[in-house]
């Protein structure tokens, strides 16, 4: 039985043949849309309310080895912010292509896992944000909520784009 037919038999739904390229592209587009949605959600429920620097801004200064100002800082920060959002979405799209359980809860589980991997471990380990126990409840809850938004939007857009790609 072909891989596509086996997947259809398991799920009871018409499916498509797995494609890494299509998964990456659908996820990348989803990640870009989700980055925009997360950015808007953070305007409503900002994670940093006491002047703490944003992790992309801290990373940009570490990369350049100097304090950045004005347009240079904005350009570097936005490039990192959108680049990470796109790359994360692409990786998620590839994962979803071969491990459909990654799309659980319409992407909300992905968003929660992403928060744990970034703000819970990786960013503090790299010195880009405070340790979880030193983050305020507001910061932790905002990051969780806005990453859930990111995950759900990534999955919603990924699913639509993937269907369009066939």
């Amino acid at each position: 039985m072909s891989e596509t037919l086996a997947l259809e038999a398991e799920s009871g739904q018409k499916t498509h043949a797995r494609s890494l390229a299509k998964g990456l592209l659908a996820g990348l587009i989803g990640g870009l849309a989700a980055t925009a949605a997360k950015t808007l959600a953070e305007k409503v429920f900002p994670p940093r309310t006491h002047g703490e620097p944003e992790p992309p801004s801290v990373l940009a200064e570490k990369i350049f080895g100097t304090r950045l100002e004005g347009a240079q800082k904005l350009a570097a920060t936005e490039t990192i912010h959108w680049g990470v959002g796109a790359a994360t979405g692409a990786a998620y799209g590839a994962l979803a292509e071969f491990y459909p359980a990654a799309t659980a809860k319409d992407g909300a589980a992905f968003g929660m896992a992403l928060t744990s991997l970034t703000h819970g471990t990786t960013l503090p380990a790299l010195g880009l944000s405070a340790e979880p126990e030193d983050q305020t409840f507001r910061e932790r809850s905002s990051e969780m909520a806005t990453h859930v938004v990111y995950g759900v939007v990534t999955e919603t857009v990924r699913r639509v784009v993937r269907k369009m790609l066939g």
Side-chain angles (χ1 to χ4, degrees):
M1 183 182 285
S2 77
E3 184 177 18
T4 301
L5 291 177
L7 290 171
E8 288 176 17
E10 282 177 30
S11 68
Q13 299 176 356
K14 184 171 170 70
T15 60
H16 49 266
R18 294 175 180 164
S19 167
L20 179 60
K22 290 177 182 179
L24 285 166
L25 179 59
L28 179 126
I29 293 167
L32 288 170
T35 299
K38 183 178 185 302
T39 300
L40 289 174
E42 285 182 342
K43 292 192 183 313
V44 174
F45 190 28
R48 286 164 286 284
T49 58
H50 297 95
E52 303 92 343
E54 294 181 34
S57 177
V58 177
L59 179 58
E61 290 185 349
K62 283 187 178 224
I63 290 170
F64 286 99
T66 186
R67 184 165 167 77
L68 300 175
E69 299 290 337
Q72 187 181 36
K73 182 175 183 172
L74 179 63
T77 300
E78 290 298 307
T79 298
I80 291 169
H81 178 70
W82 288 90
V84 168
T88 302
Y92 171 76
L95 179 64
E97 199 71 18
F98 295 94
Y99 185 67
T103 66
K105 306 294 183 198
D106 292 324
F110 164 60
M112 292 187 309
L114 186 58
T115 304
S116 296
L117 289 170
T118 56
H119 294 274
T121 55
T122 305
L123 295 176
L126 294 174
L128 302 177
S129 72
E131 293 292 334
E133 59 273 8
D134 296 331
Q135 296 171 15
T136 65
F137 175 77
R138 166 82 181 210
E139 184 174 5
R140 289 190 316 272
S141 60
S142 171
E143 290 295 357
M144 182 61 73
T146 59
H147 277 83
V148 167
V149 167
Y150 176 88
V152 169
V153 172
T154 301
E155 172 52 22
T156 301
V157 173
R158 182 208 64 82
R159 188 180 318 124
V160 169
V161 171
R162 187 60 183 92
K163 283 181 184 174
M164 291 170 60
L165 294 173

